[in-house]
Coordinates of all heavy atoms in Angstrom, one line a residue:
I1 N -35.0 -116.6 110.3 CA -34.2 -116.5 109.1 C -34.7 -117.2 107.9 O -34.8 -116.7 106.8 CB -32.7 -116.8 109.4 CG1 -32.0 -115.7 110.3 CG2 -31.9 -116.9 108.1 CD1 -30.7 -116.1 110.8
R2 N -35.1 -118.5 108.2 CA -35.6 -119.4 107.2 C -36.9 -118.7 106.5 O -37.0 -118.8 105.3 CB -36.0 -120.7 107.8 CG -36.3 -121.8 106.8 CD -36.6 -123.2 107.4 NE -37.0 -123.3 108.7 CZ -36.2 -123.6 109.8 NH1 -35.0 -123.9 109.6 NH2 -36.7 -123.6 111.0
E3 N -37.8 -118.1 107.3 CA -38.9 -117.5 106.7 C -38.6 -116.3 105.9 O -39.2 -116.0 104.9 CB -39.9 -117.2 107.8 CG -40.6 -118.3 108.5 CD -41.5 -118.0 109.6 OE1 -42.1 -116.9 109.5 OE2 -41.8 -118.8 110.5
L4 N -37.6 -115.5 106.4 CA -37.2 -114.3 105.6 C -36.6 -114.6 104.3 O -36.8 -113.9 103.3 CB -36.4 -113.4 106.5 CG -37.1 -112.7 107.7 CD1 -36.1 -112.1 108.6 CD2 -38.1 -111.7 107.2
V5 N -35.6 -115.5 104.3 CA -35.0 -115.9 103.1 C -35.9 -116.5 102.0 O -35.5 -116.6 100.8 CB -33.6 -116.6 103.3 CG1 -32.6 -115.9 104.2 CG2 -33.9 -118.0 103.8
A6 N -37.0 -116.9 102.5 CA -38.0 -117.5 101.5 C -38.5 -116.4 100.6 O -39.1 -116.7 99.6 CB -39.1 -118.2 102.2
L7 N -38.4 -115.2 101.1 CA -39.0 -114.0 100.4 C -37.9 -113.7 99.3 O -36.7 -113.6 99.5 CB -39.2 -112.8 101.2 CG -40.2 -113.0 102.3 CD1 -40.1 -111.9 103.3 CD2 -41.6 -113.2 101.7
R8 N -38.4 -113.4 98.1 CA -37.5 -113.0 97.0 C -36.7 -111.7 97.2 O -37.3 -110.8 97.7 CB -38.4 -112.8 95.7 CG -37.6 -112.5 94.5 CD -38.5 -112.5 93.3 NE -37.7 -112.1 92.1 CZ -37.9 -111.0 91.4 NH1 -38.9 -110.2 91.7 NH2 -37.1 -110.8 90.4
G9 N -35.4 -111.8 97.1 CA -34.6 -110.7 97.3 C -33.9 -110.6 98.7 O -33.2 -109.7 99.0
I10 N -34.4 -111.4 99.5 CA -33.8 -111.4 100.9 C -32.9 -112.6 101.1 O -33.2 -113.7 100.9 CB -35.0 -111.5 102.0 CG1 -36.0 -110.5 101.8 CG2 -34.5 -111.6 103.4 CD1 -35.7 -109.1 102.1
G11 N -31.7 -112.2 101.5 CA -30.7 -113.2 101.8 C -30.4 -113.4 103.3 O -31.0 -112.6 104.1
V12 N -29.5 -114.2 103.6 CA -29.2 -114.5 105.0 C -28.8 -113.3 105.8 O -29.2 -113.0 106.8 CB -28.2 -115.7 105.2 CG1 -27.8 -115.9 106.7 CG2 -28.8 -117.0 104.6
W13 N -27.8 -112.5 105.2 CA -27.3 -111.3 105.8 C -28.4 -110.3 106.0 O -28.5 -109.8 107.1 CB -26.2 -110.7 105.0 CG -25.6 -109.5 105.6 CD1 -24.6 -109.5 106.5 CD2 -26.0 -108.2 105.4 NE1 -24.2 -108.2 106.9 CE2 -25.1 -107.3 106.2 CE3 -26.9 -107.5 104.6 CZ2 -25.2 -106.0 106.2 CZ3 -27.0 -106.2 104.6 CH2 -26.1 -105.4 105.4
T14 N -29.2 -110.1 105.1 CA -30.3 -109.2 105.2 C -31.3 -109.6 106.4 O -31.7 -108.8 107.2 CB -31.1 -109.0 103.9 OG1 -30.2 -108.5 102.9 CG2 -32.3 -108.0 104.0
A15 N -31.5 -110.9 106.4 CA -32.4 -111.5 107.4 C -31.8 -111.2 108.8 O -32.5 -110.9 109.8 CB -32.7 -112.9 107.2
E16 N -30.5 -111.5 108.9 CA -29.8 -111.2 110.2 C -29.8 -109.8 110.6 O -30.0 -109.5 111.8 CB -28.4 -111.8 110.1 CG -28.3 -113.2 110.0 CD -26.9 -113.8 109.6 OE1 -26.1 -113.0 109.1 OE2 -26.6 -114.9 109.9
M17 N -29.6 -108.9 109.7 CA -29.7 -107.4 110.0 C -31.1 -107.0 110.4 O -31.3 -106.3 111.4 CB -29.3 -106.6 108.8 CG -27.9 -106.7 108.4 SD -26.6 -106.5 109.7 CE -26.0 -108.1 109.9
F18 N -32.2 -107.7 109.9 CA -33.5 -107.4 110.3 C -33.7 -107.9 111.7 O -34.4 -107.2 112.6 CB -34.5 -108.2 109.4 CG -35.9 -108.0 109.6 CD1 -36.6 -106.8 109.2 CD2 -36.7 -108.9 110.4 CE1 -38.0 -106.6 109.6 CE2 -38.0 -108.7 110.6 CZ -38.6 -107.6 110.3
L19 N -33.2 -109.1 112.0 CA -33.4 -109.6 113.4 C -32.6 -108.7 114.4 O -33.1 -108.5 115.6 CB -32.8 -111.0 113.5 CG -33.6 -112.1 112.7 CD1 -32.8 -113.4 112.8 CD2 -34.9 -112.2 113.3
I20 N -31.4 -108.2 114.0 CA -30.7 -107.4 114.9 C -31.3 -106.0 115.1 O -31.6 -105.6 116.2 CB -29.2 -107.2 114.4 CG1 -28.4 -108.5 114.5 CG2 -28.4 -106.1 115.2 CD1 -27.0 -108.6 114.0
F21 N -31.6 -105.3 114.0 CA -31.9 -103.9 114.2 C -33.4 -103.7 114.2 O -33.9 -102.6 114.8 CB -31.4 -103.2 113.0 CG -29.9 -103.0 113.0 CD1 -29.1 -103.8 112.1 CD2 -29.3 -102.3 113.9 CE1 -27.8 -103.7 112.1 CE2 -27.8 -102.2 113.9 CZ -27.1 -102.9 113.0
H22 N -34.3 -104.5 113.7 CA -35.7 -104.3 113.8 C -36.3 -105.1 114.9 O -37.2 -104.6 115.6 CB -36.4 -104.6 112.5 CG -37.8 -104.4 112.4 ND1 -38.3 -103.1 112.4 CD2 -38.9 -105.2 112.4 CE1 -39.6 -103.1 112.5 NE2 -40.0 -104.4 112.5
L23 N -36.0 -106.4 115.0 CA -36.6 -107.2 116.1 C -35.8 -107.2 117.4 O -36.2 -107.7 118.4 CB -36.8 -108.6 115.6 CG -37.7 -108.7 114.4 CD1 -37.8 -110.2 114.0 CD2 -39.1 -108.2 114.7
C24 N -34.5 -106.6 117.4 CA -33.7 -106.4 118.5 C -33.4 -107.8 119.2 O -33.4 -107.9 120.5 CB -34.4 -105.5 119.6 SG -34.6 -103.8 118.9
R25 N -33.1 -108.8 118.4 CA -32.8 -110.1 119.0 C -31.4 -110.1 119.6 O -30.5 -109.5 118.9 CB -32.8 -111.1 117.8 CG -34.2 -111.3 117.3 CD -35.1 -112.2 118.2 NE -36.5 -112.3 117.7 CZ -36.9 -113.2 116.8 NH1 -36.1 -114.1 116.3 NH2 -38.1 -113.3 116.5
P26 N -31.2 -110.6 120.7 CA -29.9 -110.5 121.5 C -28.9 -111.5 121.0 O -27.7 -111.3 121.4 CB -30.3 -110.7 122.9 CG -31.5 -111.5 122.8 CD -32.2 -111.1 121.6
D27 N -29.3 -112.5 120.3 CA -28.4 -113.5 120.0 C -28.2 -113.9 118.6 O -28.5 -115.0 118.1 CB -28.7 -114.9 120.8 CG -27.5 -115.9 120.8 OD1 -26.4 -115.5 120.8 OD2 -27.9 -117.1 120.8
V28 N -27.9 -112.9 117.7 CA -27.7 -113.1 116.3 C -26.2 -112.9 116.0 O -25.6 -111.8 116.4 CB -28.6 -112.2 115.5 CG1 -28.3 -112.3 114.0 CG2 -30.0 -112.3 115.8
F29 N -25.5 -113.8 115.3 CA -24.2 -113.6 114.8 C -24.1 -113.7 113.4 O -24.2 -114.8 112.8 CB -23.2 -114.7 115.6 CG -21.8 -114.5 115.2 CD1 -21.1 -113.3 115.7 CD2 -21.1 -115.3 114.3 CE1 -19.8 -113.2 115.3 CE2 -19.9 -115.0 114.0 CZ -19.2 -114.0 114.5
P30 N -24.0 -112.5 112.7 CA -23.9 -112.6 111.3 C -22.5 -112.9 110.8 O -21.6 -112.1 110.4 CB -24.2 -111.1 110.9 CG -23.7 -110.3 112.1 CD -24.0 -111.2 113.2
A31 N -22.3 -114.3 110.6 CA -21.0 -114.8 110.3 C -20.6 -114.4 108.9 O -19.4 -114.6 108.5 CB -21.0 -116.3 110.5
G32 N -21.5 -114.0 108.0 CA -21.1 -113.6 106.7 C -20.9 -112.1 106.5 O -20.6 -111.7 105.5
D33 N -20.9 -111.4 107.6 CA -20.7 -109.9 107.6 C -19.1 -109.7 107.5 O -18.4 -110.1 108.4 CB -21.3 -109.3 108.8 CG -21.2 -107.8 108.7 OD1 -22.1 -107.1 108.2 OD2 -20.1 -107.2 109.2
L34 N -18.7 -109.0 106.5 CA -17.3 -108.8 106.3 C -16.7 -108.0 107.4 O -15.5 -108.2 107.9 CB -17.0 -108.1 105.0 CG -17.4 -108.9 103.8 CD1 -17.1 -108.1 102.5 CD2 -16.7 -110.2 103.7
G35 N -17.4 -107.0 108.0 CA -16.9 -106.3 109.1 C -16.6 -107.1 110.4 O -15.6 -107.0 111.0
V36 N -17.6 -107.9 110.6 CA -17.5 -108.9 111.8 C -16.3 -109.8 111.6 O -15.5 -110.0 112.5 CB -18.8 -109.7 112.0 CG1 -18.6 -110.8 113.0 CG2 -19.9 -108.7 112.5
L37 N -16.2 -110.3 110.4 CA -15.1 -111.3 110.2 C -13.8 -110.5 110.3 O -12.7 -111.1 110.9 CB -15.2 -111.9 108.8 CG -16.4 -112.8 108.6 CD1 -16.5 -113.3 107.2 CD2 -16.2 -114.0 109.6
K38 N -13.7 -109.3 109.8 CA -12.4 -108.6 109.8 C -12.0 -108.3 111.3 O -10.8 -108.5 111.7 CB -12.5 -107.3 109.1 CG -11.3 -106.4 109.1 CD -11.5 -105.2 108.3 CE -10.2 -104.3 108.3 NZ -10.4 -103.1 107.5
A39 N -13.0 -107.9 112.1 CA -12.7 -107.7 113.5 C -12.3 -108.9 114.3 O -11.4 -108.9 115.1 CB -13.9 -107.0 114.2
V40 N -13.0 -110.0 114.0 CA -12.6 -111.3 114.6 C -11.2 -111.7 114.2 O -10.3 -112.1 115.0 CB -13.6 -112.5 114.3 CG1 -13.1 -113.8 114.8 CG2 -14.9 -112.2 114.9
Y41 N -10.9 -111.6 113.0 CA -9.5 -111.9 112.5 C -8.5 -111.0 113.2 O -7.4 -111.5 113.7 CB -9.3 -111.7 111.0 CG -10.2 -112.5 110.1 CD1 -10.5 -112.1 108.8 CD2 -10.8 -113.7 110.5 CE1 -11.3 -112.8 108.0 CE2 -11.6 -114.5 109.6 CZ -11.9 -114.0 108.4 OH -12.7 -114.7 107.5
R42 N -8.8 -109.8 113.3 CA -7.9 -108.8 114.0 C -7.6 -109.2 115.4 O -6.5 -109.2 115.9 CB -8.4 -107.4 113.9 CG -7.5 -106.4 114.5 CD -8.1 -105.0 114.5 NE -8.3 -104.5 113.2 CZ -8.7 -103.3 112.9 NH1 -9.1 -102.5 113.9 NH2 -8.9 -102.9 111.6
H43 N -8.7 -109.6 116.2 CA -8.5 -109.9 117.6 C -8.1 -111.3 118.0 O -7.6 -111.5 119.0 CB -9.8 -109.5 118.3 CG -10.1 -108.1 118.5 ND1 -9.5 -107.3 119.3 CD2 -10.9 -107.3 117.7 CE1 -9.9 -106.0 119.2 NE2 -10.7 -106.0 118.1
Y44 N -8.4 -112.2 117.1 CA -8.1 -113.7 117.4 C -7.1 -114.3 116.5 O -6.8 -115.5 116.8 CB -9.4 -114.4 117.4 CG -10.4 -114.1 118.5 CD1 -11.3 -113.0 118.3 CD2 -10.3 -114.6 119.7 CE1 -12.2 -112.6 119.3 CE2 -11.2 -114.2 120.7 CZ -12.1 -113.3 120.6 OH -12.9 -112.9 121.6
N45 N -6.6 -113.7 115.5 CA -5.7 -114.3 114.6 C -4.8 -113.3 113.9 O -4.3 -113.5 112.8 CB -6.5 -115.1 113.5 CG -5.6 -116.3 113.0 OD1 -4.9 -116.9 113.7 ND2 -5.8 -116.6 111.7
N46 N -4.4 -112.3 114.7 CA -3.4 -111.3 114.1 C -3.7 -110.7 112.7 O -2.9 -110.5 111.9 CB -2.0 -111.9 114.1 CG -1.5 -112.2 115.5 OD1 -1.7 -111.5 116.4 ND2 -0.8 -113.3 115.6
G47 N -5.0 -110.6 112.5 CA -5.5 -110.0 111.3 C -5.5 -110.9 110.1 O -5.9 -110.6 108.9
E48 N -5.1 -112.2 110.3 CA -5.1 -113.2 109.2 C -6.4 -113.9 109.2 O -7.0 -114.3 110.2 CB -4.0 -114.2 109.4 CG -2.6 -113.7 109.5 CD -2.2 -113.0 108.1 OE1 -2.5 -113.7 107.0 OE2 -1.6 -112.0 108.1
K49 N -6.8 -114.3 107.9 CA -8.1 -115.0 107.8 C -8.0 -116.3 108.5 O -6.9 -116.9 108.7 CB -8.5 -115.3 106.4 CG -8.8 -114.1 105.7 CD -9.2 -114.3 104.2 CE -9.8 -113.1 103.5 NZ -10.2 -113.3 102.2
M50 N -9.2 -116.8 108.9 CA -9.2 -118.1 109.5 C -10.5 -118.8 109.1 O -11.4 -118.2 108.5 CB -9.3 -118.0 111.1 CG -10.3 -117.1 111.7 SD -10.0 -116.4 113.3 CE -10.0 -117.8 114.3
P51 N -10.6 -120.2 109.2 CA -11.8 -120.9 108.8 C -13.0 -120.4 109.5 O -13.0 -120.1 110.7 CB -11.4 -122.4 109.2 CG -9.9 -122.5 109.3 CD -9.5 -121.1 109.8
L52 N -14.1 -120.5 108.7 CA -15.4 -120.1 109.3 C -15.8 -120.9 110.6 O -16.3 -120.3 111.5 CB -16.5 -120.1 108.3 CG -17.9 -119.6 108.8 CD1 -17.8 -118.2 109.2 CD2 -18.9 -119.8 107.6
A53 N -15.4 -122.1 110.5 CA -15.7 -123.0 111.7 C -15.0 -122.5 113.0 O -15.6 -122.5 114.0 CB -15.3 -124.4 111.4
D54 N -13.8 -122.0 112.8 CA -13.1 -121.4 113.9 C -13.8 -120.1 114.4 O -13.8 -119.8 115.6 CB -11.6 -121.0 113.6 CG -10.8 -122.3 113.4 OD1 -11.4 -123.4 113.7 OD2 -9.7 -122.2 112.8
V55 N -14.2 -119.3 113.5 CA -14.9 -118.1 113.9 C -16.2 -118.3 114.6 O -16.5 -117.8 115.7 CB -15.3 -117.2 112.6 CG1 -16.1 -116.0 112.9 CG2 -14.0 -116.7 112.0
L56 N -17.0 -119.3 114.1 CA -18.2 -119.8 114.8 C -17.9 -120.4 116.2 O -18.7 -120.1 117.1 CB -19.0 -120.8 114.0 CG -19.4 -120.2 112.6 CD1 -20.0 -121.4 111.8 CD2 -20.5 -119.1 112.8
A57 N -16.8 -121.0 116.3 CA -16.5 -121.6 117.6 C -16.2 -120.5 118.6 O -16.6 -120.5 119.8 CB -15.2 -122.5 117.5
I58 N -15.5 -119.5 118.2 CA -15.3 -118.3 119.0 C -16.5 -117.6 119.4 O -16.7 -117.2 120.6 CB -14.3 -117.3 118.3 CG1 -12.9 -117.9 118.2 CG2 -14.3 -115.9 119.1 CD1 -12.0 -117.1 117.2
A59 N -17.4 -117.5 118.5 CA -18.7 -116.8 118.7 C -19.6 -117.5 119.7 O -20.4 -116.9 120.4 CB -19.4 -116.5 117.4
E60 N -19.4 -118.8 119.7 CA -20.2 -119.6 120.7 C -20.0 -119.2 122.1 O -20.9 -119.2 123.0 CB -19.9 -121.1 120.6 CG -20.5 -121.8 119.4 CD -22.1 -121.8 119.5 OE1 -22.6 -122.1 120.6 OE2 -22.7 -121.4 118.5
N61 N -18.8 -118.7 122.4 CA -18.5 -118.2 123.8 C -19.3 -117.0 124.2 O -19.4 -116.6 125.3 CB -17.0 -117.9 123.9 CG -16.1 -119.1 123.7 OD1 -16.4 -120.1 124.4 ND2 -15.2 -119.1 122.9
W62 N -19.9 -116.3 123.2 CA -20.6 -115.1 123.4 C -22.1 -115.3 123.6 O -22.9 -114.3 123.8 CB -20.3 -114.1 122.3 CG -18.9 -113.8 122.0 CD1 -18.0 -113.8 123.0 CD2 -18.3 -113.5 120.8 NE1 -16.7 -113.5 122.4 CE2 -16.9 -113.3 121.0 CE3 -18.8 -113.4 119.5 CZ2 -16.0 -113.0 120.0 CZ3 -17.9 -113.0 118.5 CH2 -16.6 -112.9 118.7
R63 N -22.5 -116.6 123.5 CA -24.0 -116.8 123.7 C -24.4 -116.4 125.1 O -23.5 -116.7 125.9 CB -24.3 -118.3 123.5 CG -24.5 -118.7 122.0 CD -25.0 -120.1 121.9 NE -25.0 -120.6 120.6 CZ -26.0 -120.4 119.7 NH1 -27.1 -119.8 120.1 NH2 -26.0 -120.9 118.5
P64 N -25.5 -116.0 125.4 CA -26.6 -115.7 124.5 C -26.6 -114.2 124.1 O -27.7 -113.6 123.7 CB -27.8 -115.9 125.4 CG -27.3 -115.4 126.7 CD -25.9 -115.9 126.8
W65 N -25.5 -113.6 124.0 CA -25.4 -112.1 123.6 C -24.5 -111.9 122.4 O -23.8 -110.9 122.4 CB -24.8 -111.4 124.9 CG -25.7 -111.5 126.1 CD1 -25.4 -112.2 127.2 CD2 -26.9 -111.0 126.3 NE1 -26.4 -112.3 128.1 CE2 -27.4 -111.5 127.5 CE3 -27.8 -110.1 125.6 CZ2 -28.7 -111.1 128.1 CZ3 -29.1 -109.8 126.1 CH2 -29.4 -110.3 127.4
R66 N -24.6 -112.7 121.4 CA -23.8 -112.6 120.2 C -24.1 -111.3 119.4 O -23.2 -110.7 118.8 CB -23.9 -113.7 119.3 CG -23.3 -115.0 120.0 CD -23.4 -116.2 119.1 NE -24.8 -116.5 118.9 CZ -25.2 -117.4 118.0 NH1 -24.4 -118.1 117.3 NH2 -26.5 -117.7 117.9
T67 N -25.3 -110.7 119.5 CA -25.6 -109.4 118.9 C -24.8 -108.4 119.6 O -24.2 -107.5 118.9 CB -27.1 -109.2 119.0 OG1 -27.8 -110.2 118.3 CG2 -27.5 -107.8 118.4
V68 N -24.7 -108.4 120.8 CA -23.9 -107.4 121.6 C -22.4 -107.5 121.1 O -21.8 -106.5 120.9 CB -24.1 -107.5 123.1 CG1 -23.2 -106.6 123.8 CG2 -25.5 -107.4 123.5
A69 N -21.9 -108.6 121.1 CA -20.5 -108.9 120.7 C -20.3 -108.3 119.3 O -19.3 -107.7 118.9 CB -20.1 -110.4 120.8
T70 N -21.3 -108.6 118.4 CA -21.3 -108.1 117.0 C -21.2 -106.6 117.0 O -20.4 -106.0 116.2 CB -22.5 -108.7 116.2 OG1 -22.4 -110.0 116.1 CG2 -22.6 -108.0 114.9
W71 N -22.0 -106.0 117.8 CA -22.0 -104.5 117.8 C -20.7 -104.0 118.3 O -20.2 -103.0 117.7 CB -23.1 -104.1 118.8 CG -23.4 -102.6 118.7 CD1 -23.0 -101.7 119.6 CD2 -24.1 -101.9 117.7 NE1 -23.4 -100.4 119.1 CE2 -24.0 -100.6 118.0 CE3 -24.7 -102.3 116.5 CZ2 -24.7 -99.5 117.3 CZ3 -25.3 -101.3 115.8 CH2 -25.3 -100.0 116.1
Y72 N -20.1 -104.6 119.3 CA -18.7 -104.2 119.7 C -17.7 -104.4 118.6 O -16.8 -103.5 118.4 CB -18.4 -104.9 121.0 CG -18.8 -104.3 122.2 CD1 -19.9 -104.8 122.9 CD2 -18.3 -103.0 122.7 CE1 -20.4 -104.2 124.1 CE2 -18.9 -102.5 123.9 CZ -19.9 -103.0 124.6 OH -20.5 -102.4 125.7
L73 N -17.8 -105.5 117.9 CA -16.9 -105.7 116.9 C -17.0 -104.7 115.7 O -16.0 -104.2 115.2 CB -17.1 -107.1 116.3 CG -16.7 -108.3 117.2 CD1 -17.2 -109.6 116.6 CD2 -15.1 -108.4 117.4
W74 N -18.2 -104.4 115.3 CA -18.4 -103.3 114.4 C -17.8 -102.0 114.8 O -17.2 -101.3 114.1 CB -19.9 -103.1 114.1 CG -20.5 -104.1 113.1 CD1 -19.9 -104.8 112.1 CD2 -21.9 -104.6 113.1 NE1 -20.8 -105.6 111.5 CE2 -21.9 -105.5 112.1 CE3 -23.0 -104.3 113.9 CZ2 -23.2 -106.1 111.8 CZ3 -24.1 -104.9 113.6 CH2 -24.2 -105.9 112.6
R75 N -18.1 -101.6 116.1 CA -17.7 -100.3 116.6 C -16.1 -100.2 116.7 O -15.6 -99.2 116.4 CB -18.3 -100.1 118.0 CG -19.8 -99.9 118.0 CD -20.3 -98.7 117.1 NE -19.5 -97.6 117.3 CZ -19.0 -96.8 116.3 NH1 -19.4 -97.1 115.0 NH2 -18.3 -95.7 116.5
E76 N -15.5 -101.4 116.9 CA -14.1 -101.4 117.0 C -13.5 -101.0 115.7 O -12.3 -100.4 115.7 CB -13.6 -102.8 117.5 CG -12.1 -102.9 117.8 CD -11.3 -103.3 116.5 OE1 -11.8 -104.0 115.7 OE2 -10.2 -102.8 116.4
L77 N -14.1 -101.3 114.6 CA -13.5 -101.0 113.3 C -13.7 -99.6 112.9 O -13.0 -99.1 112.0 CB -14.2 -101.9 112.2 CG -14.0 -103.4 112.3 CD1 -14.8 -104.1 111.3 CD2 -12.5 -103.7 112.1
D78 N -14.7 -98.9 113.5 CA -14.9 -97.5 113.1 C -14.4 -96.5 114.2 O -14.9 -96.5 115.3 CB -16.4 -97.3 113.0 CG -16.8 -96.0 112.3 OD1 -15.9 -95.2 112.0 OD2 -18.0 -95.7 112.2
P79 N -13.3 -95.7 113.9 CA -12.7 -94.9 114.8 C -13.6 -93.7 115.2 O -13.3 -93.0 116.2 CB -11.4 -94.4 114.1 CG -11.7 -94.5 112.6 CD -12.7 -95.6 112.5
V80 N -14.6 -93.3 114.4 CA -15.5 -92.2 114.7 C -16.5 -92.6 115.7 O -17.3 -93.5 115.6 CB -16.1 -91.7 113.4 CG1 -17.0 -90.5 113.7 CG2 -15.1 -91.4 112.4
P81 N -16.6 -91.8 116.9 CA -17.6 -92.0 117.9 C -19.0 -91.9 117.3 O -19.2 -91.0 116.5 CB -17.3 -91.1 119.0 CG -15.9 -90.5 118.7 CD -15.7 -90.7 117.2
V82 N -19.9 -92.7 117.8 CA -21.3 -92.6 117.4 C -22.1 -92.0 118.5 O -22.0 -92.4 119.7 CB -21.9 -94.0 117.0 CG1 -23.3 -94.0 116.7 CG2 -21.0 -94.6 115.9
E83 N -23.0 -91.1 118.1 CA -23.9 -90.5 119.1 C -25.3 -91.0 118.7 O -25.8 -90.9 117.6 CB -23.9 -88.9 118.9 CG -23.3 -88.3 120.2 CD -23.4 -86.8 120.0 OE1 -24.5 -86.2 120.0 OE2 -22.3 -86.2 119.9
Y84 N -26.0 -91.5 119.7 CA -27.3 -92.0 119.5 C -28.4 -91.1 120.1 O -28.2 -90.4 121.0 CB -27.5 -93.4 120.1 CG -26.5 -94.4 119.6 CD1 -25.3 -94.7 120.1 CD2 -26.8 -95.0 118.4 CE1 -24.5 -95.6 119.6 CE2 -25.9 -95.9 117.8 CZ -24.7 -96.2 118.4 OH -23.9 -97.1 117.8

């Protein structure tokens, strides 16, 4: 992530998406992703916002598969089935 964000126009979220979708890294948790945060709030705090530190503590339980957890969180928000 550090190397990618050094490039002009690349932020942390973009670097995390690159790691997830292009490099297929299994343990990336995009804590700045609004969809991920919304799903965590829904499942762990009755839909109410919570401090980022609490979200990160929850995500620690998903190591070393935080990318997989992220994918499930995203899919939970979208009611339309996806065909790959």
Side-chain angles (χ1 to χ4, degrees):
I1 290 175
R2 188 172 33 251
E3 290 180 26
L4 288 170
V5 297
L7 300 170
R8 185 171 173 243
I10 304 292
V12 173
W13 181 85
T14 303
E16 290 168 339
M17 295 305 110
F18 182 80
L19 293 175
I20 290 172
F21 293 106
H22 184 68
L23 298 181
C24 299
R25 297 282 175 86
D27 192 33
V28 178
F29 183 70
D33 186 89
L34 297 178
V36 168
L37 292 174
K38 182 177 179 180
V40 170
Y41 299 157
R42 182 184 292 184
H43 288 283
Y44 291 91
N45 205 35
N46 295 321
E48 299 294 321
K49 288 186 177 181
M50 55 199 297
L52 183 58
D54 293 348
V55 173
L56 294 173
I58 291 167
E60 278 301 310
N61 294 312
W62 304 330
R63 277 189 189 272
W65 302 105
R66 292 180 300 170
T67 297
V68 175
T70 295
W71 190 257
Y72 277 106
L73 291 167
W74 280 329
R75 294 302 315 135
E76 185 272 329
L77 293 174
D78 191 2
V80 179
V82 174
E83 248 182 70
Y84 299 99

